[in-house]
Amino acid sequence: MADDLDSRLRPATPAEWPAFRQHMAAALGMTPTGPYQDTPPPVAELDRSLGLWDGDRIVATSGIYSRSLTVPGGVVPCAGVTWVSVAPTHRRRGVLTSIMRRQLTELHEQQREPVAALWASEFPIYGRFGYAPATARAELTGRTERLHLRPDVDLGSGRVDVVEEDAYRPAAAALHESVRRSVPGNLARDDRWWDRLMRDEPEDRHGATARRYLLHTETDGTVTGYASYRVTPRWAETGEPDATLTVEEVRATSTAAYASLWQVLLSIDLVRTVRVLRASPDDPLRHLVTDGRALTGVPLDALWVRLVDVDRALAARRYPAPIDLVIEVRDEFCPWNAGRWRLAGHPAGGYCGRTDLDPDLVLGVEELSAAYLGGTSLAALQGAGRVTEVSPGAVTLAATAFGWPVTPWCPDEF
């Protein structure tokens, strides 16, 4: 059955895009809106798509975006898995398994991206294919009467201005390219991705204003921060203003610039509630305000990661503490990863290659993928019975070496 399915999986053509998109929306219980109903969007790579046809009907879809992912100490090519859908009439037939295996096998055989990543619609689905949540995000919410910057926060000598999109975009794009390289989990954005990010269709605002923009500029004219937001106006039954400020993105190259942007955001008239979308669980804002309990938000899984080729992926990142261990990896879905690997790493680089030596650690590729960006501790996974320590102290050494000072975070859904 699986072999037959695989033979019927093929990329979609531009002419098939309308049906391809319509199936995706229907399978996910959505109605397609916005542009690109009849033609693929600029970010689409149809040559990397897969569709399953049953007669003249599309019953399953998937795709890959060619992305660049920041990892601890470096940047690696990443296959951004997307468009995954299976019609309810074709579930539990091995369709999704065939799609996942085809994607990963082609990535390995073609020596393309050593890492794949996705956003999971449901938690239990992708672990069986070796994916694991490697970053977290939280929607932070707070009331403005409790959100005040600490009096000792240095706002520097720069200034914050409200700007139009044509001034905001090039400045934000340049700054993002700089800051994203220091945060594991961040993704590069070329013009196509900025086009997608900046789209602001009226039907998607749900009662909010059009997107608004801020830039923080130093006295010499250098842009050191940017923010985007929108306001949803509301009036309470008492007649008092009760608007909500939805903050979409705030990035800066200095604490002063970051704090200055937030000082303005927290001072917008008529706003009583602040929402920060897809924030890092360790957002510095928590440490800039006087009331550390004023911002609430439950961390949830965000970007899921899968090591396509263990050796290439582990050699591509850096390790803040020296490590020289033999790791036995279990990977039934991608058998080329299974076996023993010697990992030797340090702050300047890493090496990973096959070995016949006895293992110091034994774990599955799912666990290794979870720890890859430095946000999930191998010691915590050992506590859950998902990592086996063979050599005493190996988990402590590996957990330290796989960690990273900057919490991994991915604000870009795809």
mmCIF file of all heavy atoms in Angstrom, residues 363-388:
data_model
loop_
_atom_site.group_PDB
_atom_site.id
_atom_site.type_symbol
_atom_site.label_atom_id
_atom_site.label_comp_id
_atom_site.label_asym_id
_atom_site.label_seq_id
_atom_site.Cartn_x
_atom_site.Cartn_y
_atom_site.Cartn_z
ATOM 1 N N LEU A 363 19.704 7.438 22.772
ATOM 2 C CA LEU A 363 18.473 8.225 22.685
ATOM 3 C C LEU A 363 17.898 8.140 21.280
ATOM 4 O O LEU A 363 18.578 7.728 20.337
ATOM 5 C CB LEU A 363 18.713 9.682 23.064
ATOM 6 C CG LEU A 363 19.422 10.617 22.082
ATOM 7 C CD1 LEU A 363 19.381 12.052 22.600
ATOM 8 C CD2 LEU A 363 20.843 10.212 21.806
ATOM 9 N N GLY A 364 16.643 8.522 21.149
ATOM 10 C CA GLY A 364 16.001 8.542 19.851
ATOM 11 C C GLY A 364 16.248 9.849 19.134
ATOM 12 O O GLY A 364 16.621 10.866 19.737
ATOM 13 N N VAL A 365 16.011 9.853 17.811
ATOM 14 C CA VAL A 365 16.218 11.074 17.035
ATOM 15 C C VAL A 365 15.231 12.158 17.468
ATOM 16 O O VAL A 365 15.523 13.347 17.351
ATOM 17 C CB VAL A 365 16.095 10.772 15.530
ATOM 18 C CG1 VAL A 365 14.644 10.540 15.127
ATOM 19 C CG2 VAL A 365 16.710 11.891 14.706
ATOM 20 N N GLU A 366 14.078 11.760 17.976
ATOM 21 C CA GLU A 366 13.115 12.744 18.466
ATOM 22 C C GLU A 366 13.703 13.539 19.628
ATOM 23 O O GLU A 366 13.589 14.775 19.693
ATOM 24 C CB GLU A 366 11.831 12.036 18.896
ATOM 25 C CG GLU A 366 10.702 12.975 19.264
ATOM 26 C CD GLU A 366 9.450 12.226 19.698
ATOM 27 O OE1 GLU A 366 9.424 10.981 19.579
ATOM 28 O OE2 GLU A 366 8.503 12.883 20.155
ATOM 29 N N GLU A 367 14.361 12.850 20.551
ATOM 30 C CA GLU A 367 14.970 13.520 21.698
ATOM 31 C C GLU A 367 16.142 14.396 21.259
ATOM 32 O O GLU A 367 16.333 15.517 21.750
ATOM 33 C CB GLU A 367 15.430 12.487 22.731
ATOM 34 C CG GLU A 367 14.295 11.806 23.483
ATOM 35 C CD GLU A 367 13.456 10.873 22.611
ATOM 36 O OE1 GLU A 367 14.051 10.155 21.765
ATOM 37 O OE2 GLU A 367 12.221 10.857 22.778
ATOM 38 N N LEU A 368 16.939 13.882 20.320
ATOM 39 C CA LEU A 368 18.077 14.650 19.828
ATOM 40 C C LEU A 368 17.597 15.909 19.105
ATOM 41 O O LEU A 368 18.189 16.980 19.233
ATOM 42 C CB LEU A 368 18.909 13.778 18.886
ATOM 43 C CG LEU A 368 20.302 14.278 18.505
ATOM 44 C CD1 LEU A 368 21.170 14.491 19.734
ATOM 45 C CD2 LEU A 368 20.964 13.288 17.552
ATOM 46 N N SER A 369 16.501 15.793 18.367
ATOM 47 C CA SER A 369 15.948 16.937 17.657
ATOM 48 C C SER A 369 15.403 17.975 18.635
ATOM 49 O O SER A 369 15.532 19.188 18.420
ATOM 50 C CB SER A 369 14.837 16.485 16.712
ATOM 51 O OG SER A 369 15.338 15.610 15.719
ATOM 52 N N ALA A 370 14.795 17.521 19.716
ATOM 53 C CA ALA A 370 14.265 18.441 20.724
ATOM 54 C C ALA A 370 15.369 19.280 21.345
ATOM 55 O O ALA A 370 15.181 20.466 21.644
ATOM 56 C CB ALA A 370 13.523 17.665 21.807
ATOM 57 N N ALA A 371 16.546 18.676 21.539
ATOM 58 C CA ALA A 371 17.654 19.372 22.194
ATOM 59 C C ALA A 371 18.504 20.183 21.230
ATOM 60 O O ALA A 371 19.370 20.960 21.669
ATOM 61 C CB ALA A 371 18.545 18.348 22.907
ATOM 62 N N TYR A 372 18.270 20.042 19.937
ATOM 63 C CA TYR A 372 19.192 20.580 18.930
ATOM 64 C C TYR A 372 19.401 22.086 19.027
ATOM 65 O O TYR A 372 20.524 22.575 18.881
ATOM 66 C CB TYR A 372 18.687 20.213 17.533
ATOM 67 C CG TYR A 372 19.602 20.654 16.420
ATOM 68 C CD1 TYR A 372 20.898 20.161 16.311
ATOM 69 C CD2 TYR A 372 19.166 21.573 15.462
ATOM 70 C CE1 TYR A 372 21.733 20.559 15.289
ATOM 71 C CE2 TYR A 372 19.995 21.976 14.435
ATOM 72 C CZ TYR A 372 21.278 21.479 14.347
ATOM 73 O OH TYR A 372 22.115 21.882 13.332
ATOM 74 N N LEU A 373 18.362 22.846 19.287
ATOM 75 C CA LEU A 373 18.493 24.310 19.334
ATOM 76 C C LEU A 373 18.870 24.830 20.721
ATOM 77 O O LEU A 373 19.033 26.035 20.896
ATOM 78 C CB LEU A 373 17.196 24.971 18.870
ATOM 79 C CG LEU A 373 16.798 24.718 17.417
ATOM 80 C CD1 LEU A 373 15.512 25.472 17.084
ATOM 81 C CD2 LEU A 373 17.908 25.122 16.456
ATOM 82 N N GLY A 374 19.003 23.929 21.690
ATOM 83 C CA GLY A 374 19.448 24.351 23.008
ATOM 84 C C GLY A 374 18.340 24.701 23.972
ATOM 85 O O GLY A 374 18.617 25.171 25.081
ATOM 86 N N GLY A 375 17.079 24.455 23.602
ATOM 87 C CA GLY A 375 15.978 24.852 24.467
ATOM 88 C C GLY A 375 15.401 23.746 25.309
ATOM 89 O O GLY A 375 14.684 24.009 26.271
ATOM 90 N N THR A 376 15.698 22.503 24.969
ATOM 91 C CA THR A 376 15.210 21.357 25.735
ATOM 92 C C THR A 376 16.399 20.628 26.323
ATOM 93 O O THR A 376 17.340 20.274 25.609
ATOM 94 C CB THR A 376 14.408 20.395 24.836
ATOM 95 O OG1 THR A 376 13.303 21.097 24.261
ATOM 96 C CG2 THR A 376 13.892 19.213 25.639
ATOM 97 N N SER A 377 16.375 20.411 27.616
ATOM 98 C CA SER A 377 17.509 19.796 28.307
ATOM 99 C C SER A 377 17.492 18.279 28.154
ATOM 100 O O SER A 377 16.466 17.634 28.384
ATOM 101 C CB SER A 377 17.471 20.156 29.794
ATOM 102 O OG SER A 377 18.411 19.389 30.517
ATOM 103 N N LEU A 378 18.634 17.719 27.782
ATOM 104 C CA LEU A 378 18.754 16.272 27.735
ATOM 105 C C LEU A 378 18.596 15.664 29.129
ATOM 106 O O LEU A 378 18.149 14.521 29.264
ATOM 107 C CB LEU A 378 20.096 15.873 27.132
ATOM 108 C CG LEU A 378 20.240 16.119 25.623
ATOM 109 C CD1 LEU A 378 21.679 15.888 25.174
ATOM 110 C CD2 LEU A 378 19.287 15.225 24.830
ATOM 111 N N ALA A 379 18.926 16.432 30.158
ATOM 112 C CA ALA A 379 18.731 15.945 31.533
ATOM 113 C C ALA A 379 17.244 15.823 31.844
ATOM 114 O O ALA A 379 16.808 14.874 32.512
ATOM 115 C CB ALA A 379 19.411 16.887 32.521
ATOM 116 N N ALA A 380 16.444 16.770 31.361
ATOM 117 C CA ALA A 380 14.997 16.687 31.565
ATOM 118 C C ALA A 380 14.426 15.483 30.822
ATOM 119 O O ALA A 380 13.542 14.784 31.336
ATOM 120 C CB ALA A 380 14.328 17.973 31.097
ATOM 121 N N LEU A 381 14.920 15.235 29.621
ATOM 122 C CA LEU A 381 14.455 14.077 28.862
ATOM 123 C C LEU A 381 14.889 12.775 29.530
ATOM 124 O O LEU A 381 14.162 11.779 29.502
ATOM 125 C CB LEU A 381 14.990 14.152 27.432
ATOM 126 C CG LEU A 381 14.432 15.299 26.584
ATOM 127 C CD1 LEU A 381 15.158 15.381 25.249
ATOM 128 C CD2 LEU A 381 12.936 15.129 26.360
ATOM 129 N N GLN A 382 16.064 12.775 30.151
ATOM 130 C CA GLN A 382 16.485 11.599 30.904
ATOM 131 C C GLN A 382 15.536 11.375 32.079
ATOM 132 O O GLN A 382 15.145 10.239 32.377
ATOM 133 C CB GLN A 382 17.912 11.757 31.430
ATOM 134 C CG GLN A 382 18.389 10.533 32.210
ATOM 135 C CD GLN A 382 19.605 10.821 33.082
ATOM 136 O OE1 GLN A 382 19.807 11.966 33.502
ATOM 137 N NE2 GLN A 382 20.402 9.798 33.348
ATOM 138 N N GLY A 383 15.136 12.464 32.724
ATOM 139 C CA GLY A 383 14.209 12.342 33.846
ATOM 140 C C GLY A 383 12.872 11.754 33.432
ATOM 141 O O GLY A 383 12.161 11.159 34.242
ATOM 142 N N ALA A 384 12.530 11.927 32.153
ATOM 143 C CA ALA A 384 11.290 11.357 31.625
ATOM 144 C C ALA A 384 11.502 9.960 31.061
ATOM 145 O O ALA A 384 10.576 9.383 30.473
ATOM 146 C CB ALA A 384 10.722 12.269 30.543
ATOM 147 N N GLY A 385 12.708 9.424 31.216
ATOM 148 C CA GLY A 385 12.996 8.086 30.724
ATOM 149 C C GLY A 385 13.239 8.006 29.240
ATOM 150 O O GLY A 385 13.190 6.915 28.651
ATOM 151 N N ARG A 386 13.549 9.135 28.621
ATOM 152 C CA ARG A 386 13.691 9.153 27.162
ATOM 153 C C ARG A 386 15.148 9.229 26.708
ATOM 154 O O ARG A 386 15.421 9.217 25.511
ATOM 155 C CB ARG A 386 12.887 10.324 26.585
ATOM 156 C CG ARG A 386 11.390 10.157 26.807
ATOM 157 C CD ARG A 386 10.584 11.362 26.376
ATOM 158 N NE ARG A 386 10.797 11.691 24.974
ATOM 159 C CZ ARG A 386 10.202 12.711 24.368
ATOM 160 N NH1 ARG A 386 9.369 13.500 25.054
ATOM 161 N NH2 ARG A 386 10.429 12.954 23.090
ATOM 162 N N VAL A 387 16.073 9.335 27.636
ATOM 163 C CA VAL A 387 17.512 9.302 27.347
ATOM 164 C C VAL A 387 18.143 8.323 28.324
ATOM 165 O O VAL A 387 17.867 8.376 29.533
ATOM 166 C CB VAL A 387 18.154 10.695 27.497
ATOM 167 C CG1 VAL A 387 19.674 10.598 27.354
ATOM 168 C CG2 VAL A 387 17.579 11.663 26.466
ATOM 169 N N THR A 388 18.990 7.438 27.801
ATOM 170 C CA THR A 388 19.669 6.467 28.656
ATOM 171 C C THR A 388 21.138 6.833 28.794
ATOM 172 O O THR A 388 21.845 6.989 27.786
ATOM 173 C CB THR A 388 19.556 5.043 28.060
ATOM 174 O OG1 THR A 388 18.176 4.689 27.957
ATOM 175 C CG2 THR A 388 20.280 4.028 28.939
#
